[in-house]
Amino acid sequence: MASSISSSEEIVRDTRQALPSGLRLTAADRPGMAQPVPERDIPQQPWRAMALAVTVVVLLLTSLWEWKMRTLELVPGDLGESYDRWAELRRQVDKRNVPVVIIGDSRILFDSDLDRATQLIGVRPLQLAIAGGSGLPILEDIANDPHFKGLAIVGMAETAYFDLQLTGMRPQKALALSRWESPSSRGSFFIHRVLSHGLAMLDDDYQLSTLVFRLDHNWRPGVIDRRLAIWKAQETSADGQTWLWRRLEHDRRLSERMHSVWLKFFPSQPLDEQTINSVSVRTKVAVDKIRARGGDVVFVRPPSAPDLRTIEDKHVPRARVWDAILAYTHSNGVHIDDLPAVPNLTLPEGSHLSRACATVFTDAYLRDLAGKTPLLHLQPGAPPALATPNCMRPSVADLH
Amino acid sequence: MIFNSLIFVVFFAMVLFLHAMPFPWRVKKINLLIASYIFYAAWNPPFVILLWLSTVVDWFAARGLGQAEEPWKRRGWMLLSVVASLGLLCYFKYGHFLVENFAHLASLAGFRYVPPQSSIVLPIGISFYTFATMSYTLDIYLRRATPARSFLDYALFVTFFPHLVAGPIMRPTELVPQFEVPHKATPDQLRFGLVLMTLGLFEKAVLADGFLGPVVEQIYDGKAIPGFIDSWVATLAFSGQIFCDFAGYSIAAIGAALCLGFALSDNFRFPYAAVGFTDFWRRWHITLSAWLRDYVYIPLGGNRHGNVRTYFSLMATMLIGGLWHGASWTFVVWGGLHGLYLAIERMLRKQFSGYRPGRAAAAALGLLTFLLVNIAWVFFRAKTFHQAILILGGMFGRNTHAQPVLAGVYLLTTTVIIAGLVLAHCSMRNQTLEAAIARAHPAALTALWTMMAFAVVIQHGESNGFIYFQF
């Protein structure tokens, strides 16, 4: 030992001779002395052959797993509910002039077709809605950001927008990440994105532990069924385009289970007046700030299935909430009830539109909004308007 | 940067590549030093300055100590090092806690003091590298060692990335000599290092984060009043989570260092097979408990000045150990409980000094130790005393009207994992991991290594920080 730092070598060597085989001294065995250089023995094993075997078998198993995940309709490039992706999109507001942002919850997130929007209005909206999150914290955030001078389209499932105790946490988490994200976290997300282009298995909803937990078939009476937890619902690309997961459009077992989750998830007792007032006041403050900079805010209420809508209307009736907040904030908006061209759109699991119907709905709400805010203009060469039959499957449409 | 992140895989591959290049040893050490700073800066770049400050202050304090002959001068240099190190620690870790407690005391005395909003960010791993640098100057002050000859070797000892942010808390005498002579891993060291990293990541990503964390959160972060089963299962899950999280990090750190040809100290030795609390603390977070013993317990008098002084030293050491884990009174109570356990054990050992337990008695005492350790974990995990008391109420059957909270699958997975963990600890309590591996059949080992690696791959997901990073 070269260093004069280690002066305790002799003492330790004496103590170690008394050790039984298979044990070695640790710092716990050497009180009040300088600790010597640790010894780490390498167990006698055919490590070379073992490493080779492990590499081959793990690669094989991973390939099989990837194949299995693809048979379950997971797709490469799906970034899921990544906060890192959201934070990256949010930071764009600070870097460039963003003319249109979409904020809100999963409905406006899944039900907006950004390509269609680009064709109609000539700019691609920045999708900042968060599944399971209220749009209010995001609206307040961009209202406080002097860089933003554009149009904010606020999607509003009223329960999500107003019940901040349920829906406020996710936006706060995403916002915190957009304000400060460590270089390590950004680097990891970059690599994750590169990997996810080739691998479908990197889906958080299909992690090993999640799959094991979902084996629970109501095993313990009195406990909420694990399968009634919100599970994979979305497919997200790096540019923020998000759809309802494709498998939910045709797998009835999954879509019905998801439907029953929504029915249990949404509260039916009327929302208290105090919450409505405080959320309305906060909304008005944010709207006024954006307008003071030359921007604007409009609201959109996407569709929900009749049984779900009945529950929502008990909790947050249109007159008390939607109509009231538009009047209070002097804002325009589009409610699904006011879009006669697109009735009976397909909602596979009751709360979100099918991919094809999301395009139709986007077309309808943007055309409507174009007449209601000076910051939104239909392109001269915009494609013709769509209607419900454009998104119905031929067989279903034929029946009608 | 954390071991269970994708960026670390790329970083580590580059470090291994550079370390394998035929550069002069000094260049390799500079590479490792720069890599270690990048490793730390990847979390929050400005805090590298703190690391530099800590390194430089203790370097000069140690040189001063080495040259000074008069006791007062030596004491002065030692105090400079201790005050600078503890000052940093107190400001970043305990500043808010102290101000809050001051405000509370002021309100008790009838004064109203509203502390300013604190925006202090706790630098990752500050408790670990502060203790590492302090051990350098303290060893020189206690004349156990002399100052390192090379600043590069010393700086690398402080910063070496495998142990930097969550230990094992290395002593300079353990690591500096390794940096003085060229080190490169043999092929088998590299492969075994990768085995250890796989084991560490399996414990952390799969067991701690994947299977045990969600169970703990349901009870400890939930609002429901837990009953007997839920309280015990969540607490047992936490005992598994904290072990797999921290021992997983330690074993991955040891593996990462081994891949580069360096040896780090053991930090865990199958602690859930401990019989008694003295035994537990010789097995749990060994490098911290040895640090506290050498630099707190022994200087306070240890067991050399009568019973009262011994119990005082013991309790003070454990309370400081509790506070080291976090700026909260719940951690102090956790430390105090362990101090109490150790004191009672010491009294019983004196009372029954001739007693040697048989196998059954040892098993019963081991079980009792495990249960009492679990009770102490409640204060470690709970965010408030109210929550801790609520969960303890459940564990002692007092929450009679509680509704079941944890799903059946949580009870099953936790039971299987904890039983497996405790059995593994019991079967290996008198040997090292290496000795157990050496005796295993290669086919079984290959299957186990494959299973762990594949489980890590298919668990993937969000890379959660290690629990001990916050300490």
Side-chain angles (χ1 to χ4, degrees), chain A residues 1-8 19-66 69 74 81-84 165 173 177 180-196 199-227 229, chain B residues 1-2 5-8 10 41-46 136 139 143-149 170-178 180-181 186-189 191-193 195-196 206 209-212 214-215 218 229-230 251 254 258 262-266 269 281-283 286-287 289-290 293-295 298 403-413 429-435 437-442 445-447 449-451 453-455 457-463:
Chain A
M1 204 170 300
S3 174
S4 53
I5 283 178
S6 308
S7 58
S8 58
L19 270 184
S21 68
L23 269 184
R24 66 169 163 254
L25 290 176
T26 67
D29 305 305
R30 294 179 288 247
M33 64 172 71
Q35 302 298 323
V37 172
E39 286 185 11
R40 300 221 73 89
D41 46 321
I42 306 300
Q44 286 297 312
Q45 289 288 355
W47 290 113
R48 185 189 165 96
M50 285 165 60
L52 195 67
V54 169
T55 307
V56 170
V57 178
V58 168
L59 282 175
L60 189 69
L61 288 173
T62 305
S63 305
L64 285 172
W65 187 261
E66 171 68 13
M69 291 300 109
L74 297 185
E81 293 185 44
S82 163
Y83 289 119
D84 304 82
Q165 280 191 330
K173 199 172 167 184
L177 203 63
W180 165 249
E181 187 172 16
S182 69
S184 166
S185 176
R186 288 189 193 204
S188 284
F189 176 60
F190 175 78
I191 299 167
H192 174 80
R193 184 157 51 190
V194 171
L195 288 176
S196 77
L199 295 171
M201 55 180 266
L202 300 176
D203 191 306
D204 284 351
D205 288 310
Y206 277 83
Q207 288 180 325
L208 173 66
S209 55
T210 309
L211 293 175
V212 170
F213 289 150
R214 288 188 69 84
L215 294 174
D216 190 326
H217 284 230
N218 225 358
W219 291 344
R220 191 179 181 203
V223 173
I224 298 168
D225 190 346
R226 284 287 314 161
R227 291 167 303 163
Chain B
M1 202 179 295
I2 51 179
S5 65
L6 289 168
I7 192 84
F8 179 76
V10 176
W43 165 71
N44 198 337
Y136 176 61
D139 270 359
R143 298 190 190 281
R144 291 175 189 158
T146 52
R149 287 192 288 264
M170 300 297 289
R171 310 281 180 96
T173 47
E174 294 175 306
L175 214 43
V176 174
Q178 298 191 59
E180 290 180 341
V181 286
T186 63
D188 275 354
Q189 273 182 322
R191 291 176 195 123
F192 187 58
V195 172
L196 294 181
V206 180
D209 289 350
F211 285 94
L212 297 171
V215 182
Q218 287 240 334
I229 291 175
D230 290 329
I251 207 88
I254 290 167
L258 200 57
F262 300 101
L264 298 188
S265 311
D266 286 320
R269 201 164 57 183
W281 281 104
R282 290 166 65 86
R283 295 168 179 277
I286 294 166
T287 55
S289 50
R293 178 202 61 204
D294 289 349
Y295 303 115
I298 293 176
Q403 297 295 311
V405 179
L406 295 173
V409 72
Y410 285 151
L411 307 188
L412 182 69
T413 50
R429 79 180 297 270
N430 289 323
Q431 58 183 322
T432 59
L433 178 66
E434 287 84 347
I437 289 175
R439 276 202 295 275
H441 192 279
L445 267 183
T446 308
W449 187 6
T450 304
M451 185 276 289
F454 182 56
V457 170
I458 63 174
Q459 179 62 33
H460 58 80
E462 197 177 326
S463 47

Side-chain angles (χ1 to χ4, degrees), chain B residues 81-346:
Chain B
S81 160
V82 170
V83 168
S85 299
L86 291 184
L88 276 182
L89 197 59
C90 283
Y91 176 75
F92 284 100
K93 190 165 177 173
Y94 303 107
H96 184 62
F97 177 68
L98 290 172
V99 170
E100 260 190 359
N101 279 281
F102 175 76
H104 188 64
L105 282 175
S107 75
L108 287 179
F111 299 103
R112 188 168 180 273
Y113 169 67
V114 181
Q117 280 292 317
S118 168
S119 57
I120 300 171
V121 177
L122 180 65
I124 196 167
I126 190 170
S127 310
F128 288 92
Y129 66 72
T130 304
F131 271 34
T133 56
M134 276 170 69
S135 71
Y136 176 61
T137 44
L138 289 173
D139 270 359
I140 294 167
Y141 176 74
L142 295 167
R143 298 190 190 281
R144 291 175 189 158
T146 52
R149 287 192 288 264
S150 153
F151 180 75
L152 176 60
D153 292 346
Y154 164 72
L156 191 52
F157 146 71
V158 177
T159 319
F160 189 45
F161 72 86
H163 78 91
L164 175 61
V165 291
I169 301 171
M170 300 297 289
R171 310 281 180 96
T173 47
E174 294 175 306
L175 214 43
V176 174
Q178 298 191 59
F179 296 137
E180 290 180 341
V181 286
H183 274 67
K184 186 184 167 192
T186 63
D188 275 354
Q189 273 182 322
L190 177 67
R191 291 176 195 123
F192 187 58
L194 292 175
V195 172
L196 294 181
M197 290 183 82
T198 310
L199 172 61
L201 290 178
F202 173 75
E203 287 185 15
K204 163 64 182 167
V206 180
L207 298 182
D209 289 350
F211 285 94
L212 297 171
V215 182
V216 177
E217 282 162 19
Q218 287 240 334
I219 299 299
Y220 278 85
D221 298 337
K223 288 180 181 155
I225 296 172
F228 180 78
I229 291 175
D230 290 329
S231 300
W232 270 107
V233 168
T235 303
L236 286 168
F238 181 67
S239 75
Q241 185 195 12
I242 187 87
F243 173 79
C244 290
D245 188 280
F246 193 24
Y249 186 91
S250 294
I251 207 88
I254 290 167
L258 200 57
C259 288
L260 294 162
F262 300 101
L264 298 188
S265 311
D266 286 320
N267 214 15
F268 288 86
R269 201 164 57 183
F270 311 114
Y272 290 146
V275 177
F277 295 94
T278 310
D279 192 25
F280 178 79
W281 281 104
R282 290 166 65 86
R283 295 168 179 277
W284 180 274
H285 203 174
I286 294 166
T287 55
L288 174 69
S289 50
W291 197 101
L292 291 171
R293 178 202 61 204
D294 289 349
Y295 303 115
V296 180
Y297 177 71
I298 293 176
L300 280 175
N303 58 2
R304 293 162 295 162
H305 300 284
N307 275 339
V308 174
R309 182 79 174 267
T310 302
Y311 288 121
F312 167 76
S313 305
L314 198 59
M315 188 54 89
T317 305
M318 295 313 292
L319 290 174
I320 290 170
L323 203 55
W324 178 88
H325 284 85
S328 162
W329 288 109
T330 50
F331 286 113
V332 177
V333 169
W334 172 77
L337 263 180
H338 272 280
L340 190 69
Y341 293 160
L342 285 165
I344 292 171
E345 182 181 307
R346 189 178 177 83

Side-chain angles (χ1 to χ4, degrees), chain A residues 136-186:
Chain A
L136 180 58
I138 314 293
L139 181 67
E140 289 177 321
D141 176 62
I142 61 163
N144 290 325
D145 186 342
H147 297 102
F148 181 72
K149 293 168 182 151
L151 173 70
I153 299 175
V154 181
M156 191 187 282
E158 297 88 341
T159 303
Y161 191 82
F162 281 83
D163 280 2
L164 287 162
Q165 280 191 330
L166 285 174
T167 57
M169 216 162 67
R170 284 179 169 219
Q172 294 301 351
K173 199 172 167 184
L175 283 169
L177 203 63
S178 74
R179 288 174 194 137
W180 165 249
E181 187 172 16
S182 69
S184 166
S185 176
R186 288 189 193 204

Side-chain angles (χ1 to χ4, degrees), chain A residues 299-357:
Chain A
F299 294 86
V300 176
R301 203 303 184 182
S304 47
D307 51 357
L308 197 55
R309 180 69 190 273
T310 307
I311 296 173
E312 290 176 287
D313 283 347
K314 281 185 195 162
H315 183 56
V316 277
R318 177 175 172 167
R320 270 185 70 214
V321 177
W322 171 263
D323 294 340
I325 201 165
L326 259 60
Y328 183 64
T329 60
H330 307 294
S331 299
N332 283 307
V334 186
H335 196 288
I336 184 64
D337 296 347
D338 304 331
L339 288 173
V342 288
N344 305 320
L345 293 169
T346 307
L347 296 146
E349 34 70 281
S351 191
H352 306 96
L353 292 167
S354 67
R355 197 168 295 207
C357 285

Side-chain angles (χ1 to χ4, degrees), chain B residues 344-368:
Chain B
I344 292 171
E345 182 181 307
R346 189 178 177 83
M347 278 191 273
L348 290 174
R349 278 183 192 276
K350 275 192 151 184
Q351 193 74 27
F352 304 99
S353 54
Y355 176 68
R356 294 284 176 274
R359 280 177 76 90
L365 288 171
L367 183 65
L368 181 66

